[in-house]
Amino acid sequence: DLGGSGKPPPAGLVMTVTFTSGTDMDSVYIDFSSSTTVICILTCVPFTSTPRVATVVQDKSNNLYLFASPNTPTDGKASTIEIAVTGAFNESDITSLLTGMTPQVGSGFFGVGFLDGTSKLPDGEAIAVVSRPLLDIDVDSVTTAVVASPAAPAFDALLFVIGAAFDPCVLCNAILRKTGNRPRLYGNPCLPGDPTKTYKDGPKSSADLVQETTECYTNIADDPTNPVRRCVYDYMEGSGYDYEGKL
């Protein structure tokens, strides 16, 4: 509220920030050292240090995400997530969505991470899917943790968000094909990806690629023989997108 009423904002989406094409998102993070970064209620309180916070999010499709702060190239990265639960949990209850990552399941807990000693968990990307909502996380267990990489400094806080609703397709206005038209002009909506289905980012003869839950896809309705394509946000709306190669 910039009007000075002092009223808190409603719960839910606060803003959507769109960066221009080509932005290196791995280098985008909150600058807590800036006097502009503040929390205002009746008065504005600046940060005296950069907090290290790991947030594990489970969406309505039971996909798991990690959002780590400050997420700079040298700080705020994580190697593993370990979660203790009070209910039953078996190896069949979790599936990795990342190549080379194998979930670990033990008595009363499960974990995800890489065992090569160097790879780190991605930020804001679906990393695994579980069979049920995690409403029984044992937050008091010493097992429940997000391990930073490097291990020091550790995260100052660990938060869980269960039942989040993501719509990765809300801003899609182009198809990954040089058309200059919007997806809706083809009669097919852009929908979140299904890891059991495929798409192509090249000619029809190119290899099928597995869809990702954080991306969006649609069929080209003017020619049913065309493969599923990825939907994207075109900041130069109307220019369309293309891929290397020809149909």
Side-chain angles (χ1 to χ4, degrees), residues 50-125:
T50 301
R52 295 177 178 86
V53 180
T55 303
V56 177
V57 176
Q58 182 185 35
D59 67 16
K60 290 187 175 181
S61 298
N62 294 329
N63 297 301
L64 297 180
Y65 304 76
L66 172 67
F67 296 89
S69 170
N71 192 28
T72 70
T74 57
D75 191 7
K77 303 291 186 178
S79 60
T80 60
I81 300 173
E82 298 177 359
I83 299 176
V85 291
T86 58
F89 199 92
N90 303 306
E91 290 186 3
S92 59
D93 290 317
I94 183 169
T95 302
S96 171
L97 297 178
L98 300 178
T99 301
M101 187 186 77
T102 303
Q104 305 294 317
V105 178
S107 178
F109 79 95
F110 69 91
V112 291
F114 294 95
L115 304 179
D116 58 11
T118 57
S119 299
K120 298 175 176 59
L121 294 172
D123 199 80
E125 179 180 339

